[in-house]
Amino acid sequence: MKIYNTMSKSKEEFKPIEEGKVRMYVCGPTVYNVIHIGNARPMIVFDTVRRYFEYKGYDVNYVQNFTDVDDKIIKRAIEEGIDSHEISQRYIKECQADMQALNVKEATSHPLATQEIDGMIEMISDLIDKGYAYNADGTVYYRTRKFEGYGKLSKKNIDDLEAGHRSIQVAGEESKEDPLDFVLWKPKKEGEPAWQSPWGEGRPGWHIECSVMSKKYLGDEIDIHAGGEDLIFPHHENEIAQSEAANGKTFAKYWMHNGFLNIDNKKMSKSLGNFFTVKDIAQKYDLQVLRFFMLSAHYRSPLNFSADLMEAAKNGLDRILTALEQLKKNLEISKDRENQRNLQAGAQSDTIKNGAQEESMTGQETEALEELRRLGEKFEKAMDDDFNTADGIAAVFEMIKLANIHAAQGSTSVFLQEVWNQITTFCEILGIETERKEEVLSQEIEELIELRQQARKEKNFAKADEIRNQLLDMGIELKDTREGVQWKRI
Ligand code: AMP
Ligand code: ZN
């Protein structure tokens, strides 16, 4: 199994630190708002990586944090006139609901930065003791130049960085020994959340939290550290400097980074304002479609978001679900038929005592199953090559084509069951739920439909038509039938 390691800039054979186990840390979101679909990309792709490891028999310890203390959270709390804890709790809940709808498995641990302050104080003290950090009037800085390997992940040269930093003088950072030094602990400002520490009241910097949570939940050395590629510098570079200086060991064996989700070839981000939240997408699509869309590209490639590509993903997913629905029906019919036959045979002969007798597969079925196994190998080969989900999905489509050709009502139930088991196993690795979900409408649309029904009852047809047109503009077409009003998306 090969993984592209950002550290070596090449694909490497995966060798776990501990046989049969994977320790994996994925940097989580800062919870000051609902997540956008760019934030959802690492969640979906690394969940799929985890699922594939589990399929291969590994026991995966998967940690994803929530950054719940940060300038943006504090700013939002001040805007709303509430405590920053309320803001972070609200958006953690929202994020968890989104992740669930995206079929992202729950992490083994999902620690919160604010619950781990003691560990952060301990690591910062350790770094000070070892000469890697210093306290300057209540702000603790990391002595970047002291860490020999600084820049090894992002391939940045420390002198180039220094030159860049000299030109940007940041107010309030005059006490730094060197412009390259970064903050581990900052002193309290009025109205901000703060904790007691040996350096006075204050709060931790962002980078230290991941070093500490990774150490606590996974140990000093981990197999995989992952996140979006914007985190390579400075976040992951700083994490390495902190963890390796404190623990004296290589922090992570493999560094995995997902490419950006773009809009018009620009990174989707809150600051640029060019984003859709996961909840926006949920108004129009089952979130399985979003998941499928994300996995139809390789995780390291940039992925452009567009309505056309989402429609293509919807149609592709539909093709899979429709075929599986048919397969399930055929399997039920075939099982019923077999039961009937067994019952009849049982009534006619005393020799059949142990109930069900399975029909044996036909020669053609055996061949089709052989082909299906080859496609399974193709799927694995794609995933073994740095988790190429795009090729993995292509193999699933071939499986679906095979099922559509060979898995008919008249097929034997053993064959149908095998086809079902094989295809659904691969769908599960991709995190695709094989049962089609009832599509739910947003509350706003439900209410408009209800209002229109009311208007019709009151014979206010002008209003009813107005609402119908309003719904049309929102992409919902209504049809009045004898069974009541029906709707479809257009
Ligand atoms: P943040 O809340 O900005 O720290 O981001 C949480 C995670 O989402 C990080 O792993 C980021 O790298 C990732 N991320 C943010 N924006 C995008 C994007 N447009 N495409 C892919 N990943 C992103
Ligand atoms: Zn992190």
Side-chain angles (χ1 to χ4, degrees):
M1 197 169 169
K2 286 201 158 58
I3 297 185
Y4 181 89
N5 189 352
T6 309
M7 186 63 89
S8 66
K9 287 190 146 187
S10 63
K11 285 183 195 167
E12 293 175 27
E13 191 59 35
F14 177 73
K15 290 199 197 80
I17 295 170
E18 202 179 328
E19 199 53 49
K21 298 202 167 153
V22 180
R23 300 178 212 155
M24 185 165 177
Y25 187 96
V26 183
C27 292
T30 307
V31 279
Y32 68 102
N33 209 330
V34 292
I35 57 165
H36 62 67
I37 57 177
N39 300 133
R41 191 170 187 196
M43 292 171 184
I44 294 166
V45 300
F46 297 119
D47 174 65
T48 309
V49 166
R50 172 203 189 160
R51 285 167 181 266
Y52 190 60
F53 273 119
E54 287 175 344
Y55 165 75
K56 288 275 194 174
Y58 286 96
D59 178 7
V60 184
N61 191 344
Y62 190 94
V63 179
Q64 195 216 278
N65 68 302
F66 286 109
T67 297
D68 64 341
V69 53
D70 176 85
D71 289 343
K72 295 190 206 100
I73 301 174
I74 296 168
K75 184 166 170 265
R76 179 92 195 225
I78 293 168
E79 278 163 14
E80 291 196 25
I82 55 176
D83 196 77
S84 63
H85 181 71
E86 260 183 75
I87 296 286
S88 56
Q89 282 300 311
R90 183 200 298 162
Y91 292 114
I92 286 170
K93 279 210 189 81
E94 295 285 5
C95 180
Q96 283 172 328
D98 287 346
M99 286 168 82
Q100 203 178 6
L102 288 164
N103 208 17
V104 171
K105 286 176 81 166
E106 201 169 329
T108 317
S109 316
H110 38 80
L112 309 184
T114 54
Q115 304 292 310
E116 308 290 342
I117 305 288
D118 288 350
M120 297 187 214
I121 291 174
E122 210 175 293
M123 191 179 275
I124 296 171
S125 305
D126 189 21
L127 287 169
I128 294 177
D129 291 348
K130 290 182 169 138
Y132 283 98
Y134 57 95
N135 173 15
D137 303 326
T139 304
V140 182
Y141 292 104
Y142 187 93
R143 200 170 264 135
T144 304
R145 264 190 189 276
K146 181 156 169 82
F147 182 69
E148 260 188 32
Y150 197 81
K152 63 182 172 181
L153 180 71
S154 54
K155 317 293 174 226
K156 287 187 191 293
N157 176 292
I158 202 151
D159 294 318
D160 294 345
L161 283 172
E162 183 96 51
H165 269 264
R166 288 223 181 278
S167 52
I168 325 164
Q169 277 296 332
V170 182
E173 293 196 342
E174 298 81 6
S175 55
K176 274 186 184 184
E177 284 177 4
D178 186 312
L180 281 182
D181 297 350
F182 60 90
V183 174
L184 299 175
W185 186 265
K186 46 184 128 183
K188 178 184 172 158
K189 282 197 207 130
E190 205 37 54
E192 289 189 357
W195 290 263
Q196 284 296 343
S197 83
W199 322 287
E201 266 191 291
R203 63 184 164 102
W206 171 36
H207 315 300
I208 194 74
E209 67 176 74
C210 290
S211 283
V212 168
M213 291 189 260
S214 178
K215 180 181 170 81
K216 174 163 168 189
Y217 294 93
L218 297 170
D220 290 355
E221 291 175 287
I222 67 172
D223 292 295
I224 299 174
H225 195 116
E229 66 182 8
D230 52 339
L231 299 187
I232 297 174
F233 187 85
H235 186 53
H236 288 164
E237 199 69 71
N238 291 355
E239 279 188 45
I240 292 172
Q242 296 163 159
S243 295
E244 297 194 353
N247 305 328
K249 291 185 184 136
T250 302
F251 181 29
K253 275 185 88 177
Y254 305 90
W255 287 86
M256 293 181 75
H257 294 99
N258 64 272
F260 289 144
L261 180 75
N262 294 334
I263 276 202
D264 298 330
N265 299 314
K266 277 199 207 80
K267 180 194 172 197
M268 182 177 286
S269 76
K270 296 245 168 79
S271 53
L272 289 176
N274 61 346
F275 65 90
F276 291 106
T277 66
V278 170
K279 290 182 201 309
D280 289 336
I281 300 302
Q283 298 276 329
K284 190 151 184 223
Y285 294 101
D286 178 346
L287 288 176
Q288 289 291 307
V289 177
L290 182 63
R291 182 169 181 123
F292 195 67
F293 160 76
M294 297 276 188
L295 296 179
S296 49
H298 190 274
Y299 75 92
R300 280 190 289 121
S301 313
L303 174 59
N304 230 350
F305 181 81
S306 76
D308 283 353
L309 287 176
M310 277 298 281
E311 277 305 303
K314 181 175 187 285
N315 293 337
L317 183 62
D318 229 40
R319 222 159 72 222
I320 296 176
L321 297 185
T322 307
L324 285 174
E325 226 165 47
Q326 191 56 48
L327 187 59
K328 200 169 185 188
K329 268 191 212 143
N330 291 348
L331 180 59
E332 274 157 20
I333 293 169
S334 169
K335 275 189 176 153
D336 277 351
R337 195 181 52 231
E338 215 170 77
N339 283 342
Q340 285 295 332
R341 214 179 289 139
N342 276 319
L343 276 176
Q344 278 169 12
Q348 279 164 13
S349 151
D350 292 339
T351 51
I352 302 173
K353 291 246 163 58
N354 34 355
Q357 280 267 322
E358 268 183 358
E359 270 179 313
S360 42
M361 271 192 270
T362 66
Q364 221 180 22
E365 287 179 343
T366 314
E367 264 173 44
L369 218 54
E370 221 13 76
E371 177 59 21
L372 195 64
R373 286 210 185 95
R374 270 195 294 275
L375 291 172
E377 283 166 14
K378 203 167 163 182
F379 179 97
E380 287 197 25
K381 197 162 163 238
M383 292 296 277
D384 282 343
D385 182 17
D386 192 30
F387 307 95
N388 191 336
T389 52
D391 286 359
I393 288 176
V396 171
F397 277 130
E398 285 186 66
M399 294 180 200
I400 290 296
K401 202 166 138 198
L402 181 140
N404 285 341
I405 295 171
H406 294 283
Q409 274 189 18
S411 306
T412 65
S413 66
V414 245
F415 172 69
L416 293 172
Q417 187 69 57
E418 269 298 314
V419 176
W420 171 267
N421 292 352
Q422 285 266 342
I423 300 182
T424 52
T425 299
F426 296 111
C427 286
E428 191 161 314
I429 295 170
L430 297 169
I432 297 167
E433 282 173 343
T434 46
E435 301 281 337
R436 203 189 292 273
K437 270 192 268 170
E438 274 290 308
E439 215 186 335
V440 282
L441 287 172
S442 73
Q443 200 179 342
E444 186 191 4
I445 292 175
E446 291 274 16
E447 279 169 11
L448 281 170
I449 296 175
E450 189 54 45
L451 270 177
R452 177 175 169 273
Q453 293 299 86
Q454 199 61 36
R456 274 163 56 88
K457 245 190 229 152
E458 291 161 4
K459 304 221 178 309
N460 186 348
F461 296 112
K463 185 171 176 196
D465 283 348
E466 193 187 312
I467 298 175
R468 175 201 280 271
N469 290 335
Q470 193 181 343
L471 284 164
L472 266 179
D473 288 341
M474 294 166 89
I476 300 289
E477 188 177 64
L478 298 184
K479 201 164 132 200
D480 297 303
T481 70
R482 260 190 289 175
E483 288 78 39
V485 61
Q486 289 178 349
W487 59 270
K488 73 167 194 210
R489 293 200 189 274
I490 47 164

